[in-house]
Amino acid sequence: MKNILVTGGAGYIGSHVVVKLHEHGYNPIIIDDFSNSQHSVIQGIKNITGKDFKVYEGDILDQSLLKKIFGNHKIEGIIHFAAKKAVGESVEKPLYYYKNNVSGLVSLLEVVKEFNVKNLIFSSSCTVYGQPDKLPVTEETPKKPANSPYGNTKQIGEEIIEDTINSGTTLKAIALRYFNPIGAHPSSEIGELPLGTPNNLVPFITQTAAGLRDSLTVFGDNYDTPDGTCIRDYIHVMDLADAHVRCIEYLEVENSDQHFDVLNIGTGRGNTVLEVINAFESVSGLKLNFKIGDRRAGDVEQIFAQVDKSRQILKWETQHSLTEAMRDSWKWQQKLSNKSSSDSVS
Ligand code: NAD
Ligand code: WQD
């Protein structure tokens, strides 16, 4: 069974990818420092797969740990999720973000080179496009200057990998530019676990509906969109996870020693904030308490992907609708709420 190292494998996207890798016959090995995830995620993965995957608790900046992992296991490929992702926090703590996300990647690549690992997937983001001049965005759409240190770490990360390959390192790598991941595993065993107040729309919606937040503020309804609210491309995390497995499979058969490419991973459809709220209300049967507020600084008005390239290269299609994603997010939130109320009773 081929070993795939999943950095950040206890996180939101990484945990779903671990499950998909297992379904496709791979043996995922996790490294995570649990700085933004909980140990219960590992139990959730076990409940779904019936397997105990090897988990190394530690930091990707710790090269002695990385060398130990590469020494203990023959690693066929790496999916590199481990990074900090809060845009606002990155503005307050840029050095922390550059150290974790950029130095972390450099640390990993140095060991990748030493151990001659062949295949790498890098978690990039649609944030590299900023507010594009033309929609939908293709992989050729020019990048705009990053509007946060976080966004910059993704732009720099892609460049570091490409430069490393161009310098002669035998490595095949693909940067997947995710649009907006939402949803959870349909079993509700794993899902998004935001620590503190969520920044992202969907966990804020579900926490409001669960009574953990008073109300949702919709950030602006005077944009140049059909209902005035911003447009994003929301992709079910299971579809996103599937794209990673197909990408690993593609890299394995890609017939060269060196390769670098970028792929958009979205649905190709844009939805407004109010459409997301409507989808939530229809699956939950609840009326969401929300109000219209000011625009959020730094928000782009609209962005959605063109996904022809990833469809063609990965032979991949999204399978889940916005409604299904909202249903799975809500089921997951209800499970979390039930668990915390039974925890507080016991
Ligand atoms: P997450 O925070 O849930 O998962 C990241 C995991 O990495 C966490 O478990 C965290 O503990 C771990 N980690 C962080 N720094 C580490 C380090 N130095 N060493 C070891 N482990 C470390 O985030 P996610 O939503 O699953 O995102 C995964 C990746 O996808 C990130 O690189 C993120 O920037 C990128 N991304 C996420 C989104 C999104 O909206 N969720 C969108 C685009 C790109
Ligand atoms: C979605 C929409 C908000 C919260 C972020 C990162 C980006 C990338 C994806 C990692 C926007 C609106 C939100 C709320 C709202 N991540 N909203 N009320 O802004 O597309 O991007 O995640 O790479 O880098 O910045 O996602 O979920 O924060 O917002 O009205 O309480 O929901 O204005 O239109 P966003 P989001």
Side-chain angles (χ1 to χ4, degrees), residues 304-320:
F304 52 96
Q306 198 206 81
V307 285
D308 295 7
K309 186 176 169 187
S310 40
R311 276 191 190 133
Q312 193 230 324
I313 289 182
L314 303 181
K315 314 270 179 279
W316 163 84
E317 292 281 344
T318 54
Q319 305 289 334
H320 301 279

Side-chain angles (χ1 to χ4, degrees), residues 13 84-88 123-128 147-148 150-151 154 178-182 192 197-205 208 215-220 223 229-234 271-274 276-277 291 293-303:
I13 304 170
K84 298 285 163 193
K85 62 167 181 177
V87 173
S123 295
S124 189
S125 167
C126 64
T127 193
V128 301
N147 61 6
S148 72
Y150 167 73
K154 293 300 175 191
Y178 315 151
F179 282 67
N180 289 58
I182 61 168
E192 191 169 6
T197 311
N199 297 308
N200 294 115
L201 177 64
V202 171
F204 210 107
I205 289 176
T208 304
S215 78
L216 169 83
T217 302
V218 173
F219 297 138
Y223 286 100
T229 64
C230 292
I231 291 177
R232 297 287 184 275
D233 184 336
Y234 296 93
N271 286 103
T272 66
V273 176
L274 293 180
V276 176
I277 293 173
K291 56 181 187 290
D294 293 338
R295 292 181 175 197
R296 179 170 70 176
D299 261 344
V300 304
E301 177 177 277
Q302 44 183 317
I303 184 164

